[in-house]
């Protein structure tokens, strides 16, 4: 798989085979990991009872959950559409500038879910020696997602490359 | 007509509202460049101020990124959590 910035300010990912599409599909699978509490609930748990955690859980968490879900759905649909066009073989998928936030979010959701499940810890402290294959594979996926995020940050999301937005 | 009258006295008490802190906590997933980007986007901070706050998050484990009235603080916490930053709300000391 190769990824490169486009002249239009987006990112293009070229898959080389069906397995590469599987890696991209795993973004959604990892983000939806049912073995951990979902991201919106984990965010809600950060608001303590003393400052209104119950209300936060009732009114804010559902909105967060819906937002995260919509971003995953958008990215999932883009991946499935690209697989369909490529007929499962080698082919490109584009991340245009106006699609960068759902993509970054989906990759982040996947990495946060993997971290929640496997507790890799900070990058500088990670050692894969003696680690079981499932965790090792999960770590490699997390590294791959992180590499795409870095490309998005450097080439697509820098303030000079995005249209001005109201704070 | 009763023999006793009820006297109603209304007192108005004004006190200063306690300011609230919006706190971003460190985590091993969110990239430093992304944290800076989000602080710039949500608060309109310039890159220098956002970078200083991001470094504080990274080195000290947390940073108070905004202080003010509760309603606005809640709005900012929601925005930051929507960007997947580990954010909480606390009363300012």
């Amino acid at each position: 798989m190769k990824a490169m910035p486009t002249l239009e300010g987006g990112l293009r990912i070229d898959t080389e085979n069906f397995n590469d599409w599987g890696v991209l599909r795993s973004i959604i699978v990892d983000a939806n990991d049912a073995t951990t509490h979902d991201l919106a609930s984990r965010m809600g748990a950060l608001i303590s009872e003393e400052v209104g955690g119950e209300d936060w859980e009732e009114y804010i968490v559902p909105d967060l959950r819906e937002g995260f879900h919509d971003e995953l759905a958008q990215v999932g649909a883009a991946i499935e559409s690209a697989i369909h066009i490529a007929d499962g073989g080698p082919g490109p998928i584009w991340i245009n500038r106006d699609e960068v936030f759902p993509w970054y979010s989906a990759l982040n959701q996947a990495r946060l879910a993997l971290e929640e499940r496997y507790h890799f810890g900070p990058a500088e402290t990670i050692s894969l020696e003696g680690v079981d294959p499932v965790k090792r594979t999960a770590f490699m996926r997390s590294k791959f997602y992180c590499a795409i995020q870095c490309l998005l940050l450097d080439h697509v999301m820098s303030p000079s490359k995005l249209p001005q937005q109201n704070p | 007509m009763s023999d006793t009258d009820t006297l109603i006295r209304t007192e108005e008490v004004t006190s200063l509202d306690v300011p609230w802190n919006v706190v971003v906590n460190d985590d091993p997933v969110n990239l430093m460049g992304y944290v800076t980007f989000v602080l710039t986007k949500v608060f309109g901070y310039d890159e220098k101020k956002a970078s200083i706050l991001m470094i504080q998050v990274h080195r000290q484990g947390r940073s108070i990124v905004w202080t003010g009235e509760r309603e606005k603080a809640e709005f900012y916490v929601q925005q930051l959590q929507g960007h997947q930053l580990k954010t909480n709300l606390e009363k300012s000391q």
Side-chain angles (χ1 to χ4, degrees):
Chain A
M1 185 156 15
K2 290 174 189 159
M4 68 206 87
T6 67
L7 290 173
E8 291 77 29
L11 196 72
R12 172 187 170 140
I13 300 173
D14 283 314
T15 63
E16 292 168 22
N17 50 50
F18 189 74
N19 290 339
D20 283 351
W21 290 117
V23 174
L24 291 174
R25 272 179 167 153
S26 67
I27 298 168
I28 311 301
V29 176
D30 284 329
N32 280 325
D33 184 0
T35 62
T36 59
H37 287 295
D38 77 315
L39 178 58
S41 298
R42 297 203 303 274
M43 289 292 172
L46 294 167
I47 307 298
S48 65
E49 285 299 313
E50 304 90 73
V51 298
E54 212 171 297
D55 286 346
W56 199 265
E57 184 65 38
E58 187 175 350
Y59 298 110
I60 306 298
V61 168
D63 279 354
L64 291 173
R65 186 172 290 123
E66 190 181 343
F68 296 149
H69 178 267
D70 287 351
E71 288 163 336
L72 286 182
Q74 188 179 336
V75 171
I79 292 168
E80 294 308 319
S81 170
I83 294 172
H84 179 73
I85 291 166
D87 203 16
I93 183 165
W94 280 272
I95 303 172
N96 298 320
R97 277 197 305 181
D98 57 352
E99 299 162 335
V100 69
F101 292 115
W103 270 91
Y104 192 96
S105 169
L107 291 160
N108 222 44
Q109 288 183 56
R111 288 182 60 228
L112 284 165
L114 288 171
E115 176 62 34
E116 181 70 13
R117 182 169 183 178
Y118 295 105
H119 307 288
F120 300 127
E124 58 270 23
T125 64
I126 295 168
S127 164
L128 289 180
E129 212 170 307
V131 169
D132 78 81
V134 174
K135 184 172 178 179
R136 187 188 297 253
T137 312
F139 176 74
M140 297 313 291
R141 289 201 304 280
S142 182
K143 292 291 280 182
F144 169 72
Y145 303 155
C146 185
I148 300 291
Q149 284 186 307
C150 288
L151 285 171
L152 292 175
L153 268 177
D154 290 345
H155 298 286
V156 189
M157 294 166 76
S158 70
S160 60
K161 290 176 180 164
L162 284 172
Q164 287 297 309
Q165 295 177 27
N166 292 326
Chain B
M1 189 74 122
S2 67
D3 294 339
T4 55
D5 286 333
T6 307
L7 185 69
I8 300 172
R9 194 174 70 184
T10 310
E11 264 184 42
E12 219 172 82
V13 178
T14 309
S15 64
L16 283 175
D17 196 10
V18 181
W20 290 78
N21 294 334
V22 174
V23 183
V24 174
N25 299 280
D26 194 23
D27 70 73
V29 169
N30 280 301
L31 301 172
M32 292 197 283
Y34 179 66
V35 175
T36 305
F37 174 84
V38 172
L39 294 175
T40 307
K41 186 181 170 207
V42 170
F43 295 104
Y45 294 155
D46 60 40
E47 212 169 325
K48 189 180 173 191
K49 181 172 182 178
S51 297
I52 289 169
L53 293 170
M54 176 277 292
I55 291 289
Q56 216 170 37
V57 173
H58 183 62
R59 291 193 180 151
Q60 297 171 20
R62 74 198 291 271
S63 174
I64 296 168
V65 296
W66 189 86
T67 301
E69 63 184 69
R70 172 150 187 156
E71 202 176 326
K72 221 167 176 185
E74 284 181 353
F75 170 77
Y76 285 137
V77 172
Q78 185 179 1
Q79 292 287 304
L80 294 171
Q81 289 195 347
H83 285 85
Q84 302 169 29
L85 300 192
K86 280 179 75 177
T87 313
N88 66 291
L89 189 64
E90 66 178 24
K91 271 185 188 166
S92 186
Q93 296 299 315

